Amino acid sequence: MKARVLSGVQPTGNLHIGNYLGALKNWVKIQYDYESIFCIVDLHAITAYQKPEELRSNIHQLAALFIASGIDPKHSSILAQSSVPGHSELAWMFTCVTPLGWLERMTQFKAKSEGQEIIGDGILQYPVLMAADILLYQAKIVPVGDDQRQHLELTRDIAQRFNSLYGETFVIPETKLPLVGARVMGLDDPTAKMSKSATGAGHAIALLDDPSAIRKKIMRATTDSNPTVNFGNAGPGVVNLLSIHQAFTEWTDGQMRTHFEGMRYGDLKKTVAEAVVEGLAPIQAKYKEITADPGYVPSILKEGAARVSPIAQETVELTKKRMGLYSLA
Ligand code: TYM
């Protein structure tokens, strides 16, 4: 039996090239080597208020983007997290074995709760639900961007704690980061991670941005006061542009250096913009095709949930049994 891969994306805001290069592109590459499960984590999304209609349409849009990016729904299961109840069930059981201190120490919890008058309990529990997503399917490999590393460490800690309290139950998962593109930075501010929630018009490139918007954003990207590319002394904005290019084209370090060393920033930006436009064109074309049939995406989400449900049920039953919870089975 093939080992399992699991990963997820929140259906909030517009999917951007950071999500694509940090996660989706890697999923597409490895999907056939594993039994692959890709979740649209709507239960995570509601840790911040979402307009119900918008959330529902974001779920469909995200599923279409998964497929447009190259996830093969015949092989890989694509599902909305809330359609498989095991995610929530396991999350509660994990809440009961997770020390509060572990959650309060998470950097994303600290960042999201800073300066807030009211902090939803969901923000604190967020990584416990994420551990449930992964361990529910006994996933061995979790391909994510760099910002999820700490959440994966916590997942391993929860699995280990559960195993030591109740006996060997969960596979300990491994984090798989891409070699290039694990942390794409904002174009307007290369010291901050490119993020769906940042509002600046020149901050992120969405997967569905048209070529002229892509070119405009990249031409305006922050660089530094040097006139040309110097690999020995490049500022974070230039490093970011180079790694976006390398992640899209998959050029070697040698090819990158030969092509870009000494290039003027204007030409660097033009070259990067064309690589991004070219890299996104097939995704945008496929997206159009997929969404032309409004029944297609819902049918994929239904099929995905049905395919993984038996695995989820088996894990929930096993976990309940280990903990001594009551089972009708
Ligand atoms: P989310 O929705 O914030 O991001 C989805 C994926 O995109 C990656 N990513 C980035 N990679 C490179 N550069 C960036 N600027 C960048 N921004 C985001 C993320 O690392 C992620 O891989 N908690 C998760 C969703 C989740 C999940 C899971 C992931 C829920 N359950 C189980 C894996 C396994 C999140 O908020 O991702």
Side-chain angles (χ1 to χ4, degrees):
M1 206 180 74
K2 282 183 181 170
R4 281 193 197 113
V5 154
L6 179 132
S7 199
V9 179
Q10 292 192 71
T12 49
N14 287 326
L15 205 70
H16 54 65
I17 58 169
N19 301 124
Y20 176 66
L21 300 175
L24 267 88
K25 193 165 184 284
N26 214 4
W27 303 357
V28 171
K29 223 183 254 174
I30 64 174
Q31 64 179 331
Y32 296 112
D33 299 334
Y34 301 94
E35 184 184 339
S36 303
I37 304 173
F38 301 115
C39 292
I40 294 162
V41 293
D42 50 355
L43 293 169
H44 278 108
I46 58 166
T47 55
Y49 176 79
Q50 305 293 325
K51 287 195 185 119
E53 281 314 313
E54 236 167 66
L55 179 58
R56 215 158 294 140
S57 92
N58 279 341
I59 293 168
H60 284 151
Q61 190 194 60
L62 192 52
L65 280 171
F66 281 10
I67 301 166
S69 299
I71 301 298
D72 172 4
K74 288 202 179 71
H75 172 80
S76 305
S77 303
I78 301 174
L79 62 134
Q81 181 190 33
S82 69
S83 56
V84 178
H87 292 259
S88 310
E89 291 179 80
L90 200 59
W92 173 253
M93 297 181 227
F94 285 164
T95 292
C96 298
V97 301
T98 306
L100 184 57
W102 289 5
L103 301 179
E104 285 171 338
R105 272 199 295 275
M106 302 304 286
T107 51
Q108 289 208 6
F109 169 70
K110 286 197 242 171
K112 283 182 191 164
S113 55
E114 213 172 44
Q116 301 291 328
E117 219 170 284
I118 298 172
I119 303 159
D121 185 28
I123 300 281
L124 184 70
Q125 299 299 332
Y126 183 107
V128 179
L129 178 59
M130 185 163 157
D133 298 338
I134 297 164
L135 303 178
L136 183 63
Y137 302 105
Q138 305 284 10
K140 182 72 193 151
I141 306 288
V142 186
V144 284
D146 181 72
D147 62 340
Q148 297 301 316
R149 226 184 331 193
Q150 196 187 31
H151 286 158
L152 264 293
E153 275 161 31
L154 185 87
T155 300
R156 284 190 285 274
D157 288 343
I158 291 175
Q160 265 148 3
R161 187 167 161 85
F162 189 99
N163 287 351
S164 72
L165 284 169
Y166 294 106
E168 279 306 307
T169 307
F170 293 107
V171 169
I172 309 298
E174 291 163 24
T175 310
K176 189 172 172 67
L177 300 179
L179 292 176
V180 186
R183 194 173 184 81
V184 177
M185 309 306 279
L187 295 174
D188 56 345
D189 175 9
T191 63
K193 180 189 77 168
M194 186 177 281
S195 122
K196 287 188 222 126
S197 49
T199 48
H203 173 78
I205 294 176
L207 288 202
L208 296 177
D209 273 353
D210 61 39
S212 72
I214 295 171
R215 292 191 184 104
K216 211 180 280 169
K217 287 178 187 177
I218 293 182
M219 293 314 288
R220 283 194 198 142
T222 302
T223 48
D224 51 45
S225 53
N226 297 333
T228 60
V229 178
N230 173 355
F231 274 76
N233 181 29
V238 171
V239 169
N240 192 38
L241 289 172
L242 289 168
S243 48
I244 290 171
H245 185 280
Q246 187 172 19
F248 269 103
T249 58
E250 301 190 5
W251 285 7
T252 61
D253 291 349
Q255 280 173 300
M256 290 296 294
R257 209 172 256 268
T258 311
H259 193 82
F260 288 110
E261 181 72 46
M263 189 183 272
R264 302 184 73 80
Y265 286 165
D267 293 328
L268 162 72
K269 287 177 172 179
K270 274 186 204 149
T271 315
V272 175
E274 290 324 303
V276 176
V277 168
E278 212 174 286
L280 295 185
I283 297 175
Q284 299 181 348
K286 182 105 194 271
Y287 179 83
K288 239 188 199 164
E289 212 180 287
I290 291 165
T291 50
D293 172 3
Y296 177 65
V297 163
S299 75
I300 294 297
L301 290 174
K302 202 168 172 183
E303 199 180 298
R307 209 187 291 153
V308 302
S309 278
I311 313 170
Q313 251 161 7
E314 192 185 320
T315 310
V316 168
E317 276 311 315
L318 176 66
T319 314
K320 285 176 72 175
K321 194 168 139 202
R322 290 273 200 269
M323 295 183 98
L325 292 165
Y326 197 70
S327 172
L328 294 173

